[in-house]
Every structure is written in structure tokens, then in C-alpha cells.
Amino acid sequence: MPDRRRRLHGVDRAPRAAFGALVLAVAALWLPNSVARGEDDPLPSWNDGPARAAIVRFVAETTRPGTPSFIPPAARIAVFDNDGTLWAEQPVYVQFAFALDRVKTLAPGHPEWREKQPFKAVLEGDLKTALAGGDAAIVELVMTTQTGMTTDEFAKTVSDWIATARHPRFNRPYTECVYQPMLELLSYLRANGYKTFIVSGGGVEFMRVWTERVYGIPPEQVVGSTVVTRFEMRDRGPVLLREPKIDFIDNAAGKPVAINEFIGRRPVFAFGNSDGDQQMLEWTAAGTGPRFMGLVHHTDAIREWAYDRTSDVGRLDKALDEAVAKGWIVVSMKDDWKTIFPPKGVDSVRHTTPALPHSLAH
Amino acid sequence: MPDRRRRLHGVDRAPRAAFGALVLAVAALWLPNSVARGEDDPLPSWNDGPARAAIVRFVAETTRPGTPSFIPPAARIAVFDNDGTLWAEQPVYVQFAFALDRVKTLAPGHPEWREKQPFKAVLEGDLKTALAGGDAAIVELVMTTQTGMTTDEFAKTVSDWIATARHPRFNRPYTECVYQPMLELLSYLRANGYKTFIVSGGGVEFMRVWTERVYGIPPEQVVGSTVVTRFEMRDRGPVLLREPKIDFIDNAAGKPVAINEFIGRRPVFAFGNSDGDQQMLEWTAAGTGPRFMGLVHHTDAIREWAYDRTSDVGRLDKALDEAVAKGWIVVSMKDDWKTIFPPKGVDSVRHTTPALPHSLAH
């Protein structure tokens, strides 16, 4: 401290308080423009309403030093489900759409698939029959097409596919079928010193290929389901092999387990959209001090989809009851969001704003 | 950008270049003093020599923008083994010393241990007999004493123990038996935009209790071995239960697997000290672009220990051969380190310096 203070005075010989103001003024250069301008709205795609108000209030209260609700920067852990929370999960999970496309791409090398379910049905475009085998059929399709190669080979396949595949309804890249209001929320939290994580039932190696570019969330902050992976030394060097065996399913009661294993701290902010997120929200809620638990409720059949209690994909039933009972924030896509997706042609929000130094995060 | 530039001129109406200099001067306040002072040495406990020179050269070359060896801040992933690399692992791994102490503490509730190995030998202070059962005995001692409780209960037990237990030879807390030169290296890397991770065979929940305070490494950047953990809703709220079953051993070929699973990027900088780190170093070395692979070689029987090819704890044999063959950096504790441990009475280096904004990390 003596050294630091001496240097501080050495720069301008002004009183400490005046210098502090200058530091803050300069620091404002690193703030996202929307926040730095003060009068501007960091959440422009959110309608005025209770959901938006709850978010803004929570962030304001937890970042004001010297108050009981202040959360130190290191503890500002925010977790987000991915499918249905950050991007569209209808008509099928994107990673399953990827598996279906891979079956078609790989079919010439697998003549036996023409007579074997669920592959036969996929090749004939008969999704209903393909899914008749339930979870076992889904697992077989994903494992057959997304394992048995090195991690580098898999990442390349995902990267190539995600760059060209298009959402069947919106006719744009899947990475453009992300929710603009949630992109703003991620940026808003980060600008206030929150560290944002994905905690998804999706495969972690499927997501990490594009989450940094699309959400500004780096690979080391993506938690997901895993397959068993094996280190192997080859003549040309070491590889990691993805084996056709599930290691961990990061869904439902698995989410708090994965949060504990990967992050090692209890989140203070959690957002999901389905019963698969219920335990993550319960785990977040059970900590002490201020907490934020949010659910995206798909209520907009015109602009996206309307589904909840009886949906096969992203069912929201028990978690909705618990949210209502406990006062968690339920976001109505129809009422709370001005826009759903980013402008067409924009692949995603760019995340070039440097992270805010923790000392300035309040 | 237009908004940002306007604001920039609004503050002092000075030319952009002059303002840039001011920004850098203010930014220097956030730098660790040793780096900010410029003429000072960020690695004062390292002797001049090839190891120190290689570290400084690597950091300088990878943080100079516009050169072929420049590494973007997001890719500056540095991984460190813990036992024997960041703190002393002799005469036994600290987590095993913890297990031995727990056996003694819990013995009054387990009269059957008085007749049952390996517990009987532990209670009689006969470590040799206790270890005669090999890995199975070690696993039994650790599992019996470190599972079967909630994660919160376990963290409390670790926290209480680490605050009072003392190293048998150095008679000071284990958290003071950390290597001062490595603390300096961690800080030096972070001051240059590197993100530091632990990748250890130790239990991740054993380490996370104290790694932030001691090493400045937050829980979400600690990778380690895990036990199966289960979510359970109780009357008073949800808990995570540590079950007496190994989930993953983060050692040897497990280290690249865990790096891929938890971090999701290949490190560019890796430090270990034993054959258990060999695959982590190989995995790091196999990437493209600049790489740093380092081994701590325990050569100092006076100030710490001297051991390598035949040691039961921290054996360094094949990895040493590979390091010599491939030009990895081998740090001789005796020759390269001026001091081994921090000053007595100082629990650890304090890590209050905020992280350097990435935009200033070069």
C-alpha cells in the first residue's frame, strides 16, 4: 500500500479524492457504451414490467458497496440453461438436429442403416418413427454420430455444421436463433461484475465451439453433459478420443451436482426454462443472501412457440408451480420481450468490450 | 466506437495519444507493485538462470502484440499441478495427512477400528503397516473419512483442519508450506493476462476451500479428483451428498481428459513435478504456437526434499527423461530458487490486486 499511494501522488500530486474521480472517469471508457452513457438502456429489448424491474433491482442492490445486499465480485456467479433459455429448442434440440444431419451425411458409409431403426426412419425423413424408440433411440443417434472420433475432429464437425445449418422455421443459422433479450442480460450482468456460465443438458463439446462467439461465454464457463473421453498417444502425438459411452447427464438433479463439480460455488443468479432446471434453481435459492431465480416461459406462438406443461421438448410444469409458489421471476416471452431474435444477418452480438475490472464493478 | 471517442474527448479535450498515456499511467495503479515499478523484479525468489530466463522470455514473447508468437488473452491458459508443484507433498500428500487426522478424530465413534486394518495401524501410529494395503488402503482411509456427508459439512471440516494442522517437519500450517517462487510465478502470469488453473490429483473439494486465499486461484479454476455426489431434497432444503465412490481420478492420462472436460481449451503453459503430470505436459506441448512446459525437480534435501526416480510420493522418472529429451524446462529447487517458502507467520501471499483488464494485458 505505501508504494501504491506514493505512485498515486506521483502522477498528479492531487488529493486522493480528486484522483479517485479521475480514475472513475477513465474507467468509464471500459464500460459498455450503453451503461457508460447512463441515460441509455442496457436492456433495450425488455418491456417495462415486473421481470425487467426485478432484474434491474437485483443488479443494483447486489453491486452497491456497504449495503447488506452487496455481493462481492468473486461471488457473483450467474448460471444459464441453454436450450429454450438462451436459444430456441423447438422443434427439436439443436444438437439432435445435428445428429439427424450427421446420419444423412454419414449414410453412404453405412449401408446397414437403410434397414436398421432408428437410422432407417431418419433417412426416410420419418421423425415420428425415429423417435418411437424413446430416449434409447435418441441416445443411439447421438452416440453413433457424435462419438468415435477425436475431440479435435468432433469440434471441426460441429464448427462446419453450425456455420451452414439453418433453422427449419426461421430459415437462418441456429446461432441467430438466440434470444436478443437474454444476450442483453448476459452483457448487463458481466458489465456489473457477474461471471456468466452456461449449465446445460447439451453436450459440453457441442456448445463450446460457438458459445464464446455467440454469447461471449468462454469454454471454461460452459458446463454440460459429457461422454467418456480417453487419452491416447499416437505416432503423431496425443489425442483425446470420444467414446460411445455417457459420462454425465447435466440435467435436472444433475445440474446442482455439475455446478458443484465444475464451478465449486453456489450461484446467486440462475435462469432456466424447464423442469430440467428446477433443481438448479432450488440449489441457487437455498443459499443465503440475495438470490435471483428466473424462468423463461414460452408464451409466444406467433414470434416463437407457446408451450409448457405438456411439451415433449422443454416441459415446464413442476418448476412453474414452484416458481409461482416461491415468487421466482417468470418471464413471459410474449409480454416481456420486445424482440425475440437479433437482427437478421447479424450472426450474434459481438463481445469485444473488455471485462470490467472488479474494483470498478459497482 | 463513435460514442466512446466522443466521451474520451469530453473528459480532457486532449489529443488521443496523450490521453492514452494517461490511461496507461492510471492503469499502472492496478498492476502489482513489483511490475508497476518497472525496475523491480516480478520473480524475486528466482535465481538468474535458464529456468527463470525461459519463463520471462516466454511471457514477453507471447504478450507482444503484432508478433508471430503473440497469444490472445483468451487463449492464455496456464495449468499447475498442486502437490509437489505448488506446495510440499512430503512426507505424505496433505490430503492423506488430513485423512489420518480424521481417523483419530472420529475413532471414538468407531470402536471397530481398533481391530480393523488399516484403521488399527493408523490409530497406533504405524504408518508403514497402514500403507501395506497399498492404494486400496489409502482409498479406504480417504473414502471412510471424507465422504458420507454433505458438501457443506465436508468444506467446514477441511476449513477447520487446514486452519490448525501443522506440517510435521516445518512446524507451520500446510498453507505456509507453499513455494514462494511459484506464488510469484502465478502472480506474474496473471499480471500478464494469463488465467491460472490448478489441475491436481487431489480432491477438488479439498482444495477449493483454501486455494483462492493461498494461491489467488478461485474455485472455478480448480480441477481435481472427484467422488460421486448426489442431490437430495431434505426438509430444510437441498443438499449435495458426497458418496463413498470415486467418480474421476485426475492424474496421469486423466489430466488431459479433465482439462478438456473442465477447461475446454488446450493450455499453452503447464507446470508439474512428477510422472503424474507427464500427459498434461504432453497434451500442452502438442498444441501449435508457443508453449511452455515446466517441471519442478526436488533437488534440495536441506531446505525441502531431494527425490525423483524412486520416490513413492511424486515419482519423477519418465517425465524427467521426456523433459530432457524435448527441452522442457526443469527447475532445480536447489539451484533455481533463492527461497522455498514464504516468510514465517505469513499464511500466504495476499491476492487483492484486481485482475488486469485484458486490453492492458500486453
Side-chain angles (χ1 to χ4, degrees), chain A residues 1-51:
Chain A
M1 278 309 285
D3 282 327
R4 181 168 295 192
R5 192 167 299 179
R6 180 154 46 74
R7 166 163 289 274
L8 188 148
H9 287 138
V11 172
D12 71 345
R13 303 190 178 281
R16 193 180 176 89
F19 199 85
L22 177 59
V23 169
L24 286 174
V26 174
L29 294 171
W30 287 303
L31 287 165
N33 285 332
S34 56
V35 175
R37 289 203 300 272
E39 71 282 14
D40 280 26
D41 183 355
L43 300 170
S45 301
W46 290 74
N47 283 316
D48 279 333

Side-chain angles (χ1 to χ4, degrees), chain A residues 51-63:
Chain A
R52 182 201 150 90
I55 292 168
V56 172
R57 188 170 55 241
F58 179 83
V59 169
E61 288 179 354
T62 57
T63 54

Side-chain angles (χ1 to χ4, degrees), chain A residues 88-243:
Chain A
E89 63 185 348
Q90 299 283 1
V92 296
Y93 294 124
V94 180
Q95 191 171 359
F96 186 61
F98 172 53
L100 298 178
D101 277 1
R102 290 300 294 163
V103 169
K104 292 166 196 160
T105 302
L106 298 171
H110 294 270
E112 75 279 12
W113 287 354
R114 288 200 292 262
E115 302 305 327
K116 188 185 173 194
Q117 295 295 11
F119 304 96
K120 180 172 185 285
V122 171
L123 293 173
E124 291 167 351
D126 177 6
L127 191 59
K128 197 177 162 200
T129 301
L131 292 175
D135 285 351
I138 293 174
V139 167
E140 185 171 8
L141 288 167
V142 170
M143 287 293 156
T144 303
T145 57
Q146 301 184 21
T147 65
M149 72 279 282
T150 70
T151 51
D152 285 347
E153 288 163 353
F154 180 67
K156 173 75 165 60
T157 308
V158 174
S159 178
D160 289 348
W161 181 81
I162 204 97
T164 55
R166 298 180 82 82
H167 190 284
R169 172 172 164 193
F170 301 112
N171 191 31
R172 54 196 302 201
Y174 287 103
T175 48
E176 288 187 9
C177 299
V178 296
Y179 304 136
Q180 176 65 25
M182 298 303 280
L183 296 181
E184 294 166 7
L185 175 57
L186 290 171
S187 293
Y188 178 53
L189 288 172
R190 288 194 290 261
N192 283 280
Y194 279 84
K195 202 164 179 177
T196 53
F197 289 80
I198 289 172
V199 178
S200 167
V204 70
E205 295 197 85
F206 175 75
M207 294 185 286
R208 282 173 172 160
V209 173
W210 48 269
T211 52
E212 185 155 34
R213 177 172 56 86
V214 174
Y215 301 137
I217 298 181
E220 63 269 26
Q221 286 162 227
V222 179
V223 181
S225 296
T226 52
V227 296
V228 172
T229 304
R230 185 167 51 83
F231 179 85
E232 187 177 286
M233 183 56 80
R234 294 181 172 176
D235 289 345
R236 297 176 58 189
V239 296
L240 290 173
L241 283 170
R242 287 170 56 84
E243 303 202 325

